Amino acid sequence: MIQNTVATKKDLFEFFLPLLLFLFSLAACRPDDKEAKAESKDYPAIFPDYTGVTVPCNIAPLNFSVPEAREIKAVVEADGNELARLQGGSCVKFPEKDWKEWLRRYAGKTLDVTVSVWTDGHPGGIRYQSFPVHIATGGIDPWIAYRLIEPGYELWNRMGIYQRDLTSFEEKAIVTNRQNHDGCVNCHSFCNYSPDDFMFHARGVNGTTVLVRDGQPARLDLAKMEPGKSGTYPMWHPSGRYIIFSSNDTHQAFYHFGHMPVEVYDLSSDLMIYDVAHNRVLTDPRFTNRENMETFPAFSPDGKEVYFCTAPARKMPMEYKSLKYALCRVGFDENTGQLLEQVDTLYNPAVAGGSASFPRISPDGKYLLYTEAACATFPIWHAEADLKMIRLVDKVEMDTSALNSDDTESYHSWSSDGRWVLFSSRRLDGRYTRLFIAAVDENGRFGKPFLLPQEDPEQNTLRMKSYNIPEFIRGEVKLDKGKVTSLFDIE
Amino acid sequence: MKKKNEIKTKRIGLAWHYGLLPLVWLLWYFLYPETIGNVEAESFFVWTPDYADEKLSGGVAGILSLASGFLSQFFRWREGGVLIQTLLFGCMLGLSDLLSCRLRCRECAWFSWVVAGLFLCLQLHWGRLEPAIGVVAGYGLLVSCVVLLPERVRLAIPLRLLRIANPKIHYGLSAAIILSAFALFALSPSAHNREKRIAVKQAATATAWNAVLRYITPDEALHDPMLQRYALLAFAGMDKLAENLPKFRLSSPDSFYFYLPSTPDERYFNALFYRSLGLYNEYVHQLSEVAIQYADGMTFGCLRQIADGYLKMGNDRLAKKYLTLLGRSTCHAGWVRSRLALLDALKEKPVDTPEKSYFDIFIGSYPFLHEMELLLKENPHNTRAKMYFDAASAL
């Protein structure tokens, strides 16, 4: 009796097998041979817009979506060969392994992607003009680092400095503010793109600057060496012997009206140089007086010059419109750590009409890339802020229109080989900073920038934090979490 | 004889426990509706990778936080929240009863009411779901461990010391504990005070000014800094500030708002204050600062209002972003649909908000009177700014 009433394993298998086969057949019958009925000569409105971009040969897959699509089909071809047919609901995700192989095999060539979309407006489907994705012969520095923080106002919650593998979608924390009593971590800077030699600030309880040499973190209490100076915006000398800082007294003011909610300004800012070898701070009275403000210092790639922004001090925030920063250059003696006599002006607000920030020299020393806004400092809050570039040999302004949008473009950095630029932009929604990468050739011509790839493109919308201070690094940062945390222990 | 008594206890001892759950439900429902609703307003849960990663990186605490975030969503409806609170209470009661049964001491079941009664009072005290979930999970784990012990070991646990064999004393003690717990729950002054403050806050958010003034007593209006400000805001909302101002005996216009807000409640008030002046930038600013002080860096209560603020400002891109995010929660489908309709209307008829106004005013950078003066200078028809300017001038 019992045997008759209890289903055997064989019975269960025989019952479920047809069901499984039926379900499998339903899945297998996904219409990968479904053809769209209509055609368009336009590129599809994909998000992110990867049409016509140039990408390095080691970048992660450029997954994209078509908003409001019920179904998408993408056919990938190169050199006349069909590489893949992919289908998705509203999103196309390239298999990582296949993608890497395509980029390797077709480096220097082009992938052609033909997208067909089924929407409410096109229930029978519409096939768009195939769009090219140009694959550069060269790769890109495999990692980038950035801070993730709410694009907020005064307070913060969770933040951290993160690193992202550009060849995949992997993102890891380098340091978060869980490690420093919920303080602020910011202003990371890498010595020559090295993941083992870098620094960042950690503000708050028992705060300090953290200096990492050969992967070992240590405290660097700048405020104790130079009272009243905390060190804000840093940059390493290429030799690793010096770090130049501006020391800024930064405040915010909140507009009562308009899409731009915040004005961030300095009441004072000065330059100082930390000599790593001798553990001392060097200053120059020309750049530490109250009459002028100096900020955003940057060494040239050969270490012989310092570029910086400067403006006469104003009554802030009321006089913010008349606060305009020039971009200057002064020589640097690596042996003594002193700034030389002559100061050249490369961007004169009286002539150009705007205000300059973030000077960055290309690794080959040819170009100066900077951010220009209508006025003031902290251009991330200025929608009119754009990237500009000067060819240093003759001061000719280069065409950077490919990089810019109607929204903010701000912080930027060069890849180690000078063939790529990574920059911040708020073009997606006007508030949340996202990262874009653009190719640049030896003649200073920029390709169309592409948004940092995400496994799910919707992550660009759903992420509630902004990317801050994006920097290239040659490899993965491997920092002992416990050692970093112990730096902030309260005795 | 002994067996008969045991059977009698077994038949009565547990069933009537659960017969009181509807009473617990009713107590929550009628006594603390605002506290229930506030659980959702101060919580946050979205189905996004960042949210999940952040929670799961917190280990066990993160998982509990995830669970409580998920359940907190259902507090948006009073019935849902009350049901969850009652079920959690029921869990504690049930786990305690299970312990009594497995330790073969049903005569100890009165102790279940000590545990459950204490838990009920703590639920009220916490006002949030996370500690309650943590306690239930922890207690459940403990009971599970005991239940799974070998019988010999299990029965060695000295719970029998709590045994009350006399049914009359047993039930009498149980009843006394239940009544005490319910009385503490129902009569807690701090809970009622919190309930009132949340009610005032929600009424002000809904611009139900009459309701705000009904909640606030004249004495509170004079002496309680927060309730005084809400009362003043309500009178301003009803265009009755001037005639009622003398009652407050104010000496400084800083009494209209919080000049240097530090707590979430103070910033929340400022958000409503600036909203009443039509300053939506500052409304969103203050709400963002409120939200960031919570564990998830955002709350449903703030996010809904931030989305509405951007709709009001005509910033369709940011409104859409926040609506997309809210669409990733469990219980906002209808709300998001209604706002998407407003977004569509905005596309048809955009609100012309420039990047910056021609006349820059930096909120919080001036004394109150001067700030109102500047707002009036920019827009002489700003009746609310005029009202506050006149009121501040009179002080």
Side-chain angles (χ1 to χ4, degrees):
Chain A
M1 281 289 284
I2 291 171
Q3 260 183 323
N4 287 342
T5 55
V6 171
T8 63
K9 283 186 185 169
K10 188 164 176 277
D11 293 332
L12 286 167
F13 182 73
E14 283 177 0
F15 172 73
F16 282 112
L17 178 60
L19 182 64
L20 282 169
L21 283 172
F22 173 67
L23 288 170
F24 180 76
S25 66
L26 278 181
C29 277
R30 303 249 355 254
D32 60 350
D33 55 352
K34 189 173 169 177
E35 289 297 325
K37 292 198 169 88
E39 269 191 40
S40 168
K41 287 194 167 45
D42 297 327
Y43 286 156
I46 61 171
F47 173 77
D49 181 9
Y50 289 138
T51 60
V53 298
T54 301
V55 299
C57 64
N58 58 344
I59 196 74
L62 302 185
N63 296 343
F64 62 86
S65 65
V66 176
E68 287 144 26
R70 284 187 281 109
E71 203 177 330
I72 307 180
K73 185 172 106 176
V75 177
V76 185
E77 294 169 299
D79 265 357
N81 302 315
E82 184 178 298
L83 303 178
R85 283 179 176 247
L86 302 157
Q87 291 220 200
S90 58
C91 183
V92 168
K93 293 187 181 182
F94 298 104
E96 269 190 67
K97 206 171 156 193
D98 291 346
W99 175 268
K100 282 187 196 318
E101 178 55 28
W102 300 338
L103 260 53
R104 186 195 64 76
R105 199 188 306 166
Y106 297 105
K109 296 183 180 176
T110 299
L111 293 179
D112 290 301
V113 184
T114 308
V115 171
S116 303
V117 175
W118 283 259
T119 63
D120 290 341
H122 294 281
I126 178 166
R127 186 171 67 250
Y128 290 93
Q129 177 70 31
S130 72
F131 65 86
V133 174
H134 307 292
I135 308 166
T137 50
I140 195 169
D141 296 307
W143 288 83
I144 59 173
Y146 44 78
R147 182 171 68 159
L148 285 175
I149 182 172
E150 286 92 356
Y153 299 85
E154 299 152 275
L155 305 175
W156 62 82
N157 190 285
R158 287 273 160 256
M159 73 161 84
I161 299 170
Y162 291 79
Q163 55 184 335
R164 161 74 191 267
D165 179 0
L166 287 180
T167 69
S168 72
F169 300 115
E170 191 179 9
E171 182 184 76
K172 298 181 187 182
I174 295 173
V175 60
T176 72
N177 69 346
R178 282 186 202 265
Q179 293 169 258
N180 74 328
H181 316 287
D182 298 334
C184 178
V185 288
N186 57 35
C187 297
H188 46 280
S189 177
F190 296 86
C191 179
N192 261 332
Y193 306 92
S194 167
D196 301 315
D197 298 293
F198 63 98
M199 59 135 286
F200 62 91
H201 296 309
R203 310 233 189 265
V205 174
N206 205 18
T208 186
T209 295
V210 177
L211 193 61
V212 179
R213 301 311 306 267
D214 294 324
Q216 299 304 312
R219 288 178 67 99
L220 171 59
D221 291 319
L222 286 169
K224 286 180 183 168
M225 287 184 212
E226 189 71 17
K229 302 275 182 255
S230 53
T232 312
Y233 306 121
M235 180 171 264
W236 286 81
H237 188 270
S239 68
R241 184 176 161 185
Y242 300 98
I243 307 174
I244 190 165
F245 294 93
S246 60
S247 188
N248 303 56
D249 180 16
T250 306
H251 297 260
Q252 298 182 89
F254 306 98
Y255 290 101
H256 78 298
F257 184 73
H259 283 312
M260 187 175 123
V262 185
E263 189 67 60
V264 181
Y265 58 91
D266 292 330
L267 286 179
S268 69
S269 58
D270 299 314
L271 297 183
M272 61 191 221
I273 298 170
Y274 174 64
D275 182 342
V276 179
H278 295 109
N279 192 31
R280 59 179 179 163
V281 170
L282 306 165
T283 58
D284 185 319
R286 290 177 296 165
F287 306 119
T288 55
N289 59 61
R290 299 193 75 80
E291 287 74 40
N292 293 293
M293 299 191 286
E294 294 80 20
T295 187
F296 302 133
F299 281 109
S300 58
D302 61 9
K304 292 185 175 150
E305 287 153 340
V306 168
Y307 290 75
F308 62 98
C309 299
T310 180
R314 292 254 187 262
K315 194 175 170 193
M316 295 297 283
M318 314 313 168
E319 294 181 8
Y320 81 95
K321 279 180 181 166
S322 59
L323 180 64
K324 299 193 183 211
Y325 283 77
L327 207 168
C328 297
R329 173 178 64 195
V330 63
F332 178 72
D333 183 341
E334 189 179 336
N335 295 316
T336 60
Q338 298 296 328
L339 297 167
L340 301 182
E341 188 69 28
Q342 182 162 328
V343 179
D344 298 322
T345 301
L346 299 165
Y347 177 94
N348 185 348
V351 171
S355 183
S357 306
F358 304 130
R360 292 288 183 269
I361 312 301
S362 59
D364 59 10
K366 280 187 184 175
Y367 301 104
L368 162 64
L369 189 62
Y370 62 99
T371 304
E372 184 190 45
C375 59
T377 188
F378 231 82
I380 197 67
W381 286 108
H382 284 244
E384 81 284 357
D386 281 336
L387 298 184
K388 299 284 181 176
M389 191 161 83
I390 298 171
R391 188 167 57 203
L392 285 168
V393 67
D394 52 10
K395 313 284 191 309
V396 164
E397 192 175 315
M398 307 299 289
D399 180 9
T400 53
S401 56
L403 302 180
N404 296 314
S405 71
D406 291 339
D407 271 299
T408 311
E409 277 69 43
S410 182
Y411 194 89
H412 45 271
S413 51
W414 294 88
S415 64
S416 60
D417 64 356
R419 291 283 74 86
W420 305 93
V421 163
L422 172 67
F423 64 95
S424 307
S425 175
R426 288 189 166 182
R427 65 185 65 183
L428 294 192
D429 54 33
R431 183 60 51 83
Y432 287 80
T433 314
R434 297 292 181 253
L435 300 183
F436 286 77
I437 300 171
V440 54
D441 67 18
E442 47 280 332
N443 297 315
R445 280 191 302 254
F446 291 99
K448 179 177 173 180
F450 62 94
L451 183 60
L452 180 68
Q454 302 291 346
E455 189 164 11
D456 181 352
E458 206 181 4
Q459 175 70 344
N460 292 296
T461 303
L462 297 174
R463 174 156 271 183
M464 294 295 286
K465 293 194 197 292
S466 280
Y467 294 78
N468 222 209
I469 314 290
E471 298 279 3
F472 283 105
I473 17 176
R474 288 190 215 270
E476 184 185 347
V477 173
K478 290 178 181 163
L479 201 54
D480 187 312
K481 212 171 162 181
K483 279 186 184 171
V484 173
T485 309
S486 66
L487 294 177
F488 308 108
D489 285 343
I490 301 164
E491 286 164 24
Chain B
M1 202 58 186
K2 200 176 173 183
K3 270 193 185 170
K4 206 173 163 186
N5 281 344
E6 277 182 5
I7 289 165
K8 223 179 167 178
T9 308
K10 192 174 177 179
R11 222 178 311 151
I12 298 170
L14 299 180
W16 70 271
H17 284 193
Y18 306 98
L20 288 177
L21 289 182
L23 183 57
V24 172
W25 195 97
L26 288 168
L27 283 170
W28 273 113
Y29 191 88
F30 287 108
L31 290 177
Y32 301 113
E34 302 290 346
T35 303
I36 290 288
N38 199 53
V39 170
E40 188 268 356
E42 291 189 348
S43 72
F44 191 61
F45 182 93
V46 281
W47 298 99
T48 66
D50 278 350
Y51 183 85
D53 287 346
E54 180 65 38
K55 290 295 181 190
L56 294 173
S57 69
V60 172
I63 292 169
L64 288 173
S65 177
L66 195 65
S68 94
F70 177 74
L71 290 173
S72 293
Q73 295 178 100
F74 301 99
F75 281 65
R76 192 145 170 248
W77 298 277
R78 203 198 306 185
E79 293 79 5
V82 166
L83 179 65
I84 291 169
Q85 292 287 51
T86 307
L87 286 174
L88 288 172
F89 170 86
C91 281
M92 291 299 282
L93 188 62
L95 286 167
S96 301
D97 286 344
L98 178 65
L99 204 57
S100 303
C101 290
R102 294 297 287 166
L103 294 178
R104 298 226 190 127
C105 186
R106 290 176 189 275
E107 298 88 350
C108 310
W110 64 271
F111 194 71
S112 301
W113 284 109
V114 173
V115 172
L118 190 62
F119 181 73
L120 182 67
C121 293
L122 283 172
Q123 277 182 295
L124 185 63
H125 168 70
W126 290 320
R128 299 180 298 122
L129 201 56
E130 199 166 322
I133 300 262
V135 166
V136 171
Y139 191 52
L141 192 63
L142 177 70
V143 169
S144 304
C145 290
V146 170
V147 158
L148 292 170
L149 286 171
E151 189 173 355
R152 198 166 35 87
V153 176
R154 210 183 330 125
L155 295 180
I157 295 171
L159 189 69
R160 298 182 77 81
L161 293 172
L162 301 174
R163 182 170 173 267
I164 296 176
N166 185 317
K168 282 184 186 167
I169 298 173
H170 181 105
Y171 292 135
L173 182 59
S174 299
I177 294 166
I178 292 162
L179 283 170
S180 304
F182 283 3
L184 274 171
F185 182 86
L187 301 172
S188 165
S190 59
H192 281 286
N193 185 33
R194 183 183 60 200
E195 177 75 8
K196 180 215 283 264
R197 285 170 188 276
I198 295 169
V200 166
K201 188 169 134 182
Q202 295 307 331
T205 304
T207 61
W209 303 122
N210 283 319
V212 170
L213 293 171
R214 266 202 307 276
Y215 288 121
I216 301 173
T217 66
D219 187 61
E220 284 166 343
L222 278 180
H223 299 116
D224 186 300
M226 181 65 71
L227 293 177
Q228 181 181 82
R229 283 166 172 84
Y230 272 111
L232 288 164
L233 186 68
F235 281 124
M238 295 159 75
D239 284 332
K240 290 180 180 175
L241 184 62
E243 70 204 66
N244 286 285
L245 198 59
K247 294 179 198 169
F248 290 86
R249 294 185 288 225
L250 302 180
S251 57
S252 161
D254 289 351
S255 300
F256 292 124
Y257 73 137
F258 288 97
Y259 175 56
L260 287 170
S262 56
T263 68
D265 284 339
E266 289 174 2
R267 285 192 177 272
Y268 190 88
F269 176 86
N270 277 5
L272 299 184
F273 173 76
Y274 286 112
R275 184 185 69 174
S276 75
L277 281 161
L279 301 179
Y280 286 92
N281 262 354
E282 194 60 18
Y283 172 55
V284 166
H285 168 204
Q286 294 295 331
L287 285 169
S288 301
E289 298 302 296
V290 170
I292 214 149
Q293 291 180 76
Y294 286 83
D296 293 318
M298 183 51 73
T299 68
F300 280 127
C302 290
L303 187 55
R304 285 191 289 266
Q305 291 188 74
I306 289 170
D308 278 344
Y310 282 119
L311 279 169
K312 196 78 183 177
M313 285 192 271
N315 192 327
D316 58 306
R317 290 192 297 171
L318 279 174
K320 189 172 179 194
K321 181 186 176 76
Y322 292 124
L323 291 174
T324 304
L325 189 67
L326 273 167
R328 287 297 192 103
S329 67
T330 314
C331 304
H332 277 89
W335 194 92
V336 168
R337 256 198 312 276
S338 69
R339 283 351 188 239
L340 286 174
L342 292 177
L343 198 61
D344 288 338
L346 202 58
K347 283 174 187 160
E348 295 291 318
K349 204 175 170 193
V351 171
D352 185 24
T353 303
E355 280 307 313
K356 284 191 279 189
S357 81
Y358 179 72
F359 201 89
D360 292 322
I361 301 170
F362 293 105
I363 295 298
S365 297
Y366 328 88
F368 182 84
L369 188 60
H370 187 53
E371 195 162 280
M372 296 301 117
E373 192 181 354
L374 287 172
L375 288 172
L376 276 173
K377 204 170 167 185
E378 184 204 28
N379 177 14
H381 304 292
N382 188 336
T383 51
R384 191 60 60 89
K386 177 84 170 70
M387 191 187 309
Y388 279 117
F389 178 81
D390 291 342
S393 302
L395 294 177

